[in-house]
Amino acid sequence: MKATFHTASLLLCAVSTAALSAGCFQVKTESEIKPIEVKPIHITVDINVKVDKALEDFFGDLDDAETGKTAGENAAQ
Amino acid sequence: MKKMCQTVFIAAAAGLIGCFSFLPCELHAQSAQQIKANMKNRAPALDKLKAQGIIGEGNTGFLVVLQKTASPDDVKLVEAENADRKLVYKAIAKKEGTTVELVGSRRALQIHEIAKAGTMIQDEKGAWSKK
């Protein structure tokens, strides 16, 4: 009787450990999915930054002349 | 022999016409410096039209004629400026592996920032307002 009780408690321990482990694994899976969802946002930001840089490279001096003109006109007024 | 000469002439003429019709579409047909110089030359006239509210800066990175009082020369000027802008946007889009529309919308944000007070500006939703 005592041996049966001992075996039952051991089995219960094993089952709870397995259940807890399964719970842990579930949490791990969720944390692995998150970066995949965020990635496209990073790519979009990256493209915008690159495009902004390319536009500044081309239009930079033209824009400077434009804003310089504005500053000059404002000073005259 | 006569027929052969005729065929060669027609082929050569077609080739030449083909080359010239595609040249304006490519940025390298016109150097970046030439485009910049053209833009710089147009700037004073375009600034006047902007100050009068005849044209405005759209949310796609291109100029838009807003008033019917715009003369044919004004329209031509806007078209020439937009054609040059498109060449630049196309080249950047190709280089960065994105679309002309995205490049244009990013440029629109930059233009809106540096635009002079009184310039008509179109926001992202399409509404026009005076800066």
Side-chain angles (χ1 to χ4, degrees):
Chain A
M1 181 68 184
K2 217 175 180 183
T4 315
F5 182 75
H6 189 72
T7 315
S9 52
L10 268 174
L11 261 170
L12 195 70
C13 270
V15 167
S16 343
T17 312
L20 279 170
S21 304
C24 289
F25 282 131
Q26 247 182 345
V27 173
K28 206 178 174 184
T29 312
E30 270 181 32
S31 67
E32 278 173 3
I33 291 166
K34 274 182 184 171
I36 298 166
E37 287 173 9
V38 172
K39 215 176 174 182
I41 300 166
H42 281 295
I43 292 166
T44 309
V45 171
D46 194 38
I47 288 171
N48 287 346
V49 169
K50 280 182 180 177
V51 168
D52 286 353
K53 174 82 174 59
L55 285 167
E56 277 164 23
D57 286 347
F58 186 85
F59 291 104
D61 47 347
L62 288 168
D63 289 348
D64 286 346
E66 191 79 7
T67 49
K69 237 191 267 174
T70 311
E73 281 171 7
N74 288 344
Q77 285 169 358
Chain B
M1 183 67 183
K2 207 175 177 184
K3 219 175 188 181
M4 202 177 151
C5 279
Q6 252 182 343
T7 316
V8 170
F9 178 76
I10 290 166
L16 271 174
I17 291 165
C19 282
F20 281 112
S21 61
F22 283 113
L23 271 178
C25 301
E26 299 297 327
L27 182 63
H28 41 254
Q30 230 180 336
S31 72
Q33 289 304 315
Q34 186 58 54
I35 290 175
K36 273 187 187 183
N38 290 343
M39 285 179 165
K40 211 172 180 181
N41 290 338
R42 277 185 220 115
L46 290 175
D47 282 350
K48 266 188 190 175
L49 294 172
K50 284 181 197 172
Q52 291 167 348
I54 294 171
I55 62 169
E57 288 288 357
N59 60 10
T60 56
F62 294 101
L63 287 169
V64 178
V65 177
L66 297 172
Q67 289 182 16
K68 287 178 182 176
T69 51
S71 70
D73 283 346
D74 297 340
V75 176
K76 266 186 192 175
L77 198 70
V78 168
E79 284 172 352
E81 175 72 10
N82 284 342
D84 276 349
R85 285 186 187 184
K86 198 171 186 178
L87 284 174
V88 178
Y89 299 166
K90 253 185 181 179
I92 292 173
K94 198 177 174 185
K95 188 185 156 204
E96 302 301 341
T98 186
T99 61
V100 176
E101 287 75 21
L102 181 113
V103 177
S105 63
R106 297 303 299 177
R107 178 61 187 156
L109 295 175
Q110 292 179 353
I111 291 171
H112 294 178
E113 256 182 54
I114 60 153
K116 289 178 182 176
T119 305
M120 292 298 288
I121 282 169
Q122 189 182 32
D123 67 20
E124 284 172 15
K125 288 176 184 173
W128 287 93
S129 63
K130 201 178 252 187
K131 187 178 175 185

